[in-house]
Amino acid sequence: MNVVTRFPPSPTGFMHIGNAKTALYNWLFAKHHGGKFLVRIEDTDRKRYSEEAVTAILKGLEWLELDYDGEVISQFSNQERHREIAKQLVANGKAYYCYCSKEELKEMREKAISEGHNTFYDRRWRDRDPSKAPEGIKPVIRIKAPLDGSTTIKDHVQGNITINNKTLDDFIILRSDGTPTYMLSVVVDDFDMGVTHIIRGDDHINNAFRQKIIFDAMQWPVPEFVHCSLIHGSDGGKFSKRHGATSVEEYKEMGYLPEAMRNYLLRLGWSHGNDEIISTDKAIEWFNLEGIGKSASRFDFKKLENLNSHYIKIKDSKELLELVRPFYNKRHNIELSKIAEERILANSEELQSRAKTLLQFCDESVFYAKSSPITYDEKANKLLDEKGKESLKALLNAFTSLTDFTAENIQNACKDIANNLHEGKLGKVAMPLRAAITGTTVSPSVFHASEILGFEETSARIQAAIEHNKIV
Ligand code: GLU
């Protein structure tokens, strides 16, 4: 099957996760069929247009690793072609010039409201001779919508949806200033781009009926429609800021991996049996329109986090370090030295199995990038009291007599001290040690961490902790 899909965002300043889901489905469907995935920026609203808004969308796609075919298409730059088609539709008797004045339209609108109609234009210029056109009014072009009967959209997700044609009006396709309307531009671009499948949010279903009128009027094939449910928040409302981060950029900054995001967004509206973890390769192999669910799904942060944990765990440790690198700088103002990198890589397996996000990986490993004396957070500070320091002094002593500074020997030394000083409670020794070497109370195994830091650095940090004046 020849498949061409498209992702046509309006540049709103950021990439909403709903858009990301739409982009993903279009991308997967194209990849599955060996087809094309095209990107078109719907930039005809010049008042709201900005270069940065377009960049934000393209960056979102880049982060999600959704590559597209060819150049990014600008809808605005196709305006001349859209105008031509509007005029062609008039020439073919499928559309007409309408010379209504503002006052006339206002009157019609008020009448429709008072009579309870949802369309208001009374089609007065549909069959009127254009030679009767009044002076000084720049006309719009309106499409001739069907007057009776019904229209059915065959949707791959929603099934057949039929509406009474009475609810369709002769809507404007070219404004009086010569600018095409959104409805016309979308159809012309979709045709020119050879789009075979329109996969988008179900908030566009109403547009589909109007767009079909234009496709039919031009005798162009109507693409297949695939209207997917929107993402909802935990309370069932449309997903918005009050439910959590809405932009793809924010998820990147919170330390999510693009593969986790893709897996999550895929599962949010599509299923393959009971599979939860679906690699991108499998997603491409399996993706189909039948698997798209009809009902809206609620965004579940816990699920996203679980998937992120999974993808962090299985990531190559060097690749992962490259992804975490910017966070050390942003969060802790630290550039990783060679030695810090080596230490982190030596402990990466454990750090990866603990981390739910790249932020967590960063925060739990940043102590490797520090050198003595380090700073202590509030909880660590509390552990460095007289009792803690007593354990640390004993540890410092014990460490000097270790022949091999290995995790096992370090742990045994801690156990001996716990037996001697704290009735066998290992935590009474391990916790102050953790505070001393990491400056925190949350870290990977403190015995491994000590081994990785090495005897000298560990001893220096313990010494500094002993000398540290606890601020009470
Ligand atoms: N520009 C529209 C949006 O961002 C998409 C229109 C379409 O998919 O046809 O919602």
Side-chain angles (χ1 to χ4, degrees):
M1 179 169 40
N2 162 44
V3 165
V4 179
T5 62
R6 49 33 149 210
F7 174 54
S10 311
T12 52
F14 69 100
M15 190 178 195
H16 192 278
I17 49 162
N19 272 348
K21 179 176 162 242
T22 302
L24 174 69
Y25 286 18
N26 279 286
W27 182 84
L28 284 172
F29 192 66
K31 291 268 170 212
H32 177 85
H33 289 282
K36 283 195 177 128
F37 170 63
L38 308 177
V39 174
R40 173 176 82 225
I41 305 291
E42 308 222 304
D43 51 358
T44 49
D45 183 351
R46 301 316 278 179
K47 274 187 240 109
R48 283 171 59 195
Y49 176 82
S50 81
E51 195 67 40
E52 296 83 68
V54 176
T55 308
I57 302 236
L58 297 180
K59 276 207 161 144
L61 282 177
E62 189 183 324
W63 180 69
L64 285 163
E65 297 162 322
L66 303 179
D67 55 323
Y68 45 86
D69 293 284
E71 297 290 313
V72 173
I73 295 158
S74 150
Q75 184 156 71
F76 178 66
S77 64
N78 296 337
Q79 275 206 339
E80 199 41 54
R81 163 90 174 142
H82 305 157
R83 254 192 294 278
E84 258 170 45
I85 295 296
K87 290 182 182 156
Q88 199 175 316
L89 283 165
V90 175
N92 295 348
K94 305 285 185 189
Y96 59 95
Y97 286 102
C98 162
Y99 294 87
C100 283
S101 65
K102 278 200 181 105
E103 293 70 37
E104 281 176 284
L105 290 169
K106 189 167 171 257
E107 229 170 75
M108 279 183 247
R109 194 174 291 122
E110 280 165 5
K111 184 162 177 273
I113 292 172
S114 71
E115 290 170 4
H117 301 308
N118 45 11
T119 59
F120 70 90
Y121 179 62
D122 65 7
R123 298 179 156 120
R124 64 181 62 170
W125 281 94
R126 187 167 166 133
D127 300 310
R128 198 180 279 181
D129 188 345
S131 66
K132 305 234 163 37
E135 291 282 306
I137 292 211
K138 280 194 184 156
V140 298
I141 295 182
R142 290 181 181 271
I143 192 85
K144 288 183 179 170
L147 296 174
D148 37 44
S150 60
T151 300
T152 299
I153 293 286
K154 288 188 196 134
D155 191 272
H156 283 269
V157 178
Q158 316 290 335
N160 286 356
I161 317 169
T162 301
I163 57 157
N164 188 327
N165 287 339
K166 293 226 177 323
T167 62
L168 298 170
D169 58 356
D170 289 356
F171 58 89
I172 298 174
I173 55 174
L174 197 76
R175 297 186 190 90
S176 57
D177 64 0
T179 57
T181 60
Y182 167 73
M183 217 55 90
L184 175 70
S185 301
V186 167
V187 171
V188 178
D189 285 349
D190 282 344
F191 173 76
D192 287 350
M193 288 158 66
V195 171
T196 59
H197 292 75
I198 294 181
I199 307 174
R200 62 185 175 193
D202 63 13
D203 49 341
H204 286 286
I205 286 182
N206 283 338
N207 292 340
F209 293 101
R210 289 172 177 79
Q211 288 160 1
K212 186 173 180 301
I213 299 174
I214 305 176
F215 278 112
D216 289 345
M218 287 303 296
Q219 292 183 309
W220 287 341
V222 182
E224 302 285 318
F225 286 114
V226 187
H227 286 99
C228 309
S229 59
L230 302 181
I231 302 175
H232 283 199
S234 47
D235 58 2
K238 195 175 156 189
F239 194 81
S240 66
K241 282 220 176 312
R242 75 198 149 92
H243 300 111
T246 50
S247 86
V248 166
E249 182 74 22
E250 286 170 278
Y251 287 90
K252 177 184 174 196
E253 276 164 16
M254 286 189 286
Y256 287 93
L257 292 181
E259 53 265 50
M261 203 67 199
R262 284 197 300 269
N263 191 155
Y264 182 68
L265 292 174
L266 173 66
R267 282 288 300 107
L268 203 51
W270 180 86
S271 56
H272 181 268
N274 292 325
D275 291 310
E276 286 297 342
I277 292 176
I278 303 174
S279 69
T280 300
D281 285 348
K282 279 282 165 237
I284 291 173
E285 190 184 322
W286 292 339
F287 192 77
N288 58 5
L289 303 180
E290 295 75 50
I292 300 176
K294 211 169 165 175
S295 51
S297 321
R298 296 183 185 201
F299 200 90
D300 181 342
F301 285 92
K302 199 84 219 141
K303 267 195 181 166
L304 172 60
E305 204 174 80
N306 287 341
L307 284 168
N308 207 42
S309 293
H310 167 77
Y311 287 102
I312 288 179
K313 199 178 294 169
I314 64 168
K315 190 110 189 146
D316 171 80
S317 54
K318 286 204 172 115
E319 281 176 30
L320 191 85
L321 185 59
E322 288 318 308
L323 297 175
V324 190
R325 194 184 292 280
F327 289 103
Y328 293 105
N329 195 313
K330 243 188 265 169
R331 292 172 71 77
H332 304 281
N333 211 6
I334 283 178
E335 290 293 342
L336 293 186
S337 63
K338 198 84 212 108
I339 178 113
E341 278 183 34
E342 280 166 13
R343 287 170 178 166
I344 295 167
L345 286 173
N347 203 190
S348 199
E349 199 180 320
E350 192 183 348
L351 287 161
Q352 283 175 247
S353 68
R354 294 170 56 85
K356 292 191 171 75
T357 63
L358 299 182
L359 292 193
Q360 188 182 345
F361 185 105
C362 168
D363 291 352
E364 290 192 0
S365 61
V366 69
F367 72 92
Y368 282 126
K370 296 182 176 171
S371 46
S372 184
I374 61 167
T375 51
Y376 310 102
D377 69 18
E378 206 182 313
K379 284 184 184 159
N381 197 42
K382 272 199 186 126
L383 288 168
L384 299 176
D385 57 4
E386 281 318 306
K387 275 223 152 346
K389 285 182 182 177
E390 193 188 348
S391 298
L392 289 177
K393 279 177 200 159
L395 259 183
L396 205 51
N397 239 336
F399 284 172
T400 43
S401 53
L402 290 182
T403 37
D404 283 323
F405 200 66
T406 60
E408 194 186 346
N409 290 343
I410 295 164
Q411 185 170 6
N412 285 335
C414 288
K415 276 185 191 159
D416 289 344
I417 294 163
N419 286 336
N420 292 340
L421 300 179
H422 306 291
E423 295 157 347
K425 286 179 191 140
L426 186 59
K428 295 269 184 211
V429 185
M431 285 309 285
L433 175 59
R434 173 169 283 122
I437 65 169
T438 72
T440 70
T441 51
V442 200
S443 78
S445 153
V446 73
F447 312 121
H448 277 121
S450 302
E451 178 185 330
I452 289 167
L453 283 172
F455 170 72
E456 283 189 8
E457 183 62 28
T458 304
S459 304
R461 292 190 189 192
I462 294 176
Q463 187 62 49
I466 294 169
E467 287 162 19
H468 168 67
N469 283 328
K470 182 171 170 269
I471 308 145
V472 203

